[in-house]
Amino acid sequence: MSEVLPETSGNVIEGLKSIYKGKLLPLEQYYLFNEFHSPPLNDADFDAQPLILLVGQYSTGKTTFIRYLLERDFPGMRIGPEPTTDKFIAVMYGEKDGVIPGNALVVDPKKQFRPLSAFGNAFLNRFQCSLVKSVVLKGMTIIDTPGILAGEKQRIDRGYDFAAVLEWFAERVDRIILLFDAHKLDISDELRRSIEALRGHDDKIRIILNKADMVERHQLMRIYGALMWSLGKVLQTPEVVRVFFGSFWDEPLRCEVNRKLFEEETQDLFRDLQSLPKNSALRKLNDLIKRARLAKVHALVIAELKHEISIFSKDRKKKYLIKNLKDVYKKVQNDQQIPSSDFPEISKMQESLRKYDFSKFHSQKPKLLEKVDQMLYEDIAKLMAMIPHDANPPRLLEIQGGVFENLEDQLTPFGYKCGEGCNAGYGEPEWIVSKERASYDLLFDTLETAEGKLSGAAVKTEFMKSKLPNSILAKIWKLADVDRDGFLDKDEFALGMHLINVKLNGGDIPLLLPRHLVPPKKKEEVLGYRKRDGGFPRNVLNSVY
C-alpha cells in the first residue's frame, strides 16, 4: 500500500487514514495492541459523522431526550418508568424509516460497527439501527443505551460485557451525555462501573440533570450539591464537571420559577451539540493522538517484558513480572521520559497479560517507534494546520432541523431572549426608551448643556454612578452617540441610560445598536446616511438580531 502524505492528501480525514495505516497500525499489529486495548480502526471510523452516546439509569429520559431533539418518534422507541429500552439503538439518517438488526449491521462495511461483532450474539441480539428521515440525523448519529439497572435488577446478567461495549463506544463518539433524574440520584454499582468505563474521555462528557422542573429552586440547589458529591467519588477528578439543568420533553413546566435558567442551559447544551460537525475532524485527530500515545507506551511495555523474561523458569518469571508490573512501568517511564498518565490501567493490563506467552512477544523495534514519533510530531502538526482550510469540510457545518431550528429563532416572540434586554421593544410602535423617558429627561435638565447637548465630561459623571466598568460604559457611549458627533442630546442620553439599565438588569450590551433602539428623531438622519453612503453608521445594526 502506497502511503499518502498529509501534505498531499485532499483533506484532513484522508490524511488521518493515511498516517494511521502507514505509521500507527503496523506498530499496533506488531505488539498486539488490538488484542489488549482496542480493535484496529477502519475507513468507516474516520468517515463517520459525529456520534452522541446517551448513558443513564432507567427512567432518566434518554429515549425522550432523543425524541425531543428529533421532534418525532423513531422506530423501536419505547418510553416508560421501568426499564423499557433493552437494546443499544443507533439512531441514524435514512430515506425511509426502518430497523436494521445487529447481526446485519455489523457486516455493513459502510458503517463503523463491524468490530462490535467481537461481543457475540448475546450483544448483537440487543443491538439495532433505527433509520429515521430527520434532518437532525444528517449531522449526527445518536446511540441510545439500555437503562442502567439499580437495586435487585442489577444482579441480572445481561449476557455480554456491558461496560466493555460502553468503553468501545466512548473511544469513538464525539459526546457522551450522562443523564440523571432529579428524583433519583443514587449511583448503582452498574452505573459506577459504566462511568468508570468512560474514564479517559472526560473532555467528551456532558452531564444533564433531567426532569429538573419538578423541584423548587431551593431543592434544585440541594440536588445539584448531592449530585456533585456522588460524581466526585466516581469520576475522581479535581475539576468540577459542567451540569446542564432542564426538562427535555414537550410537557408543561411544573415549577416555572426556573424557566429562564432552563432556557439558558438548553441553549448552551444545544449549541455545543450543534457545533459537532464543524469540530468532527479535530476530535478524530485528538482521539488518534491519544491512541498513538497509548500504543507507543504499550509497545515499550511489551518490549520490556520480552527483555525481562528468561528462557528458564519463564512461568515463574511471568508471574513475578505481572505481579510487579508497576516496577516495569516505572522503568519504562524513567528510561523513555513518559508521563505516568500515559500508561494503561495496571489491573486491566495484568488481567490481559495472564493470557499470553511472554516469550512470543517482540523486542523493541526502533523503526516502528520512530514512525509513530514522526506521526505525532510532524504529520499531526501538518494536519492541524489543514483544518481551517480543509478541502472537504463536512456536509453540514452545523446540525439543523428538529429542536435545533429554534436556537436562532428571532421571527416569533418565543425565541431565546426575544423581548428581553436590548431586544425589548422590537416590533412595538412606541420607542421602548419612552417608557422611562420622563425620569431620564428630568436628569438631563439638571446637567449643564451646551446648545442642548451634553459633553462627554458631563455624561461621564452621571454614567459612572452605575458603577459599571469603564469598558462597558465606553461601549454604551458609542452606541448612544448615534450621530457620532461626540455629544449626547436628550434622546441619545435617554438611550444611554436605557442601555445602562439593561446591563444592570443582567442583559448584554450588543456590539451594534438594533434598529428599534434608534431614537425616532434620528431615524431620518440614519436613513439619509444610508441613502448617501449605502449603509447605516457603523454603530447601528441594519437588521434585527
Side-chain angles (χ1 to χ4, degrees), residues 328-543:
V328 176
Y329 278 14
K330 194 169 184 179
K331 186 175 187 305
V332 173
Q333 182 183 349
N334 293 335
D335 291 347
Q336 304 292 331
Q337 298 299 305
I338 297 173
S340 59
S341 58
D342 284 3
F343 285 78
E345 187 179 331
I346 285 185
S347 59
K348 291 178 68 175
M349 191 69 174
Q350 287 171 325
E351 184 179 346
S352 299
L353 284 170
R354 292 187 181 97
K355 307 171 188 175
Y356 291 89
D357 180 354
F358 286 16
S359 63
K360 295 182 179 179
F361 286 164
H362 293 295
S363 302
Q364 193 173 130
K365 194 171 184 179
K367 285 188 177 180
L368 289 177
L369 292 166
E370 286 170 8
K371 280 192 172 184
V372 173
D373 283 337
Q374 184 187 35
M375 167 189 154
L376 286 170
Y377 299 112
E378 295 180 19
D379 299 332
I380 292 291
K382 292 173 183 175
L383 290 175
M384 286 283 290
M386 288 174 60
I387 285 178
H389 315 287
D390 197 340
N392 184 24
R395 287 171 292 174
L396 292 173
L397 290 179
E398 287 188 340
I399 296 172
Q400 301 172 0
V403 73
F404 297 98
E405 288 296 319
N406 299 322
L407 284 183
E408 301 296 334
D409 175 22
Q410 297 298 333
L411 300 177
T412 75
F414 305 101
Y416 179 60
K417 289 193 174 181
C418 281
E420 298 178 17
C422 284
N423 293 323
Y426 169 68
E428 296 182 10
E430 184 182 5
W431 189 36
I432 185 68
V433 180
S434 298
K435 293 184 178 181
E436 301 292 333
R437 182 64 184 271
S439 61
Y440 301 150
D441 286 351
L442 284 174
L443 181 58
F444 183 90
D445 293 337
T446 65
L447 302 176
E448 186 177 345
T449 61
E451 298 182 359
K453 293 187 176 184
L454 293 173
S455 66
V459 171
K460 180 178 180 179
T461 302
E462 198 58 42
F463 278 14
M464 291 283 286
K465 292 179 182 178
S466 67
K467 299 182 180 180
L468 289 172
N470 286 346
S471 57
I472 299 296
L473 293 176
K475 291 180 183 179
I476 291 173
W477 168 272
K478 291 176 182 177
L479 294 176
D481 185 14
V482 177
D483 54 16
R484 312 304 290 273
D485 66 352
F487 296 87
L488 299 187
D489 61 21
K490 189 170 281 191
D491 286 343
E492 291 172 327
F493 178 75
L495 172 59
M497 294 300 295
H498 174 77
L499 292 173
I500 284 175
N501 285 325
V502 166
K503 183 62 181 176
L504 291 175
N505 290 323
D508 294 323
I509 300 300
L511 295 175
L512 299 172
L513 187 69
R515 285 185 64 183
H516 69 277
L517 288 184
V518 176
K521 292 180 182 178
K522 299 285 182 182
K523 284 187 177 177
E524 291 184 10
E525 296 177 26
V526 171
L527 288 171
Y529 184 104
R530 184 186 185 192
K531 289 177 182 177
R532 291 194 310 274
D533 301 314
F536 282 84
R538 284 178 295 174
N539 63 329
V540 178
L541 183 63
N542 186 13
S543 64

Side-chain angles (χ1 to χ4, degrees), residues 71-216:
E71 293 188 339
R72 58 156 294 177
D73 295 347
F74 59 89
M77 184 185 82
R78 294 172 62 201
I79 297 173
E82 285 297 306
T84 48
T85 302
D86 60 348
K87 298 180 179 179
F88 280 81
I89 302 177
V91 186
M92 307 182 74
Y93 180 81
E95 286 298 323
K96 291 184 179 180
D97 289 7
V99 172
I100 303 175
N103 282 286
L105 190 58
V106 296
V107 297
D108 187 345
K110 295 181 180 179
K111 293 184 171 60
Q112 67 270 48
F113 304 120
R114 298 186 77 173
L116 287 170
S117 59
F119 292 103
N121 280 328
F123 167 73
L124 296 179
N125 291 334
R126 291 286 179 265
F127 181 45
Q128 71 177 45
C129 173
S130 293
L131 299 175
V132 188
K133 191 173 183 180
S134 168
V135 177
V136 175
L137 298 174
K138 287 186 175 182
M140 67 179 180
T141 293
I142 308 171
I143 310 295
D144 194 9
T145 61
I148 293 173
L149 305 176
E152 290 295 322
K153 298 184 182 71
Q154 63 188 313
R155 298 182 183 179
I156 300 172
D157 184 14
R158 294 182 185 270
Y160 61 91
D161 192 337
F162 181 76
V165 175
L166 285 182
E167 188 174 357
W168 185 91
F169 276 110
E171 291 178 6
R172 290 159 175 80
V173 300
D174 296 74
R175 284 291 178 269
I176 302 166
I177 297 182
L178 271 174
L179 286 101
F180 289 88
D181 186 330
H183 288 93
K184 192 168 55 181
L185 295 181
D186 60 303
I187 295 182
S188 66
D189 292 341
E190 188 175 35
L191 179 57
R192 178 184 293 273
R193 289 192 295 271
S194 300
I195 295 175
E196 288 171 350
L198 306 176
R199 281 184 187 164
H201 307 284
D202 307 47
D203 55 321
K204 301 178 182 180
I205 295 176
R206 303 292 184 269
I207 295 172
I208 293 178
L209 185 58
N210 200 13
K211 305 180 184 179
D213 72 309
M214 296 186 179
V215 295
E216 299 288 348

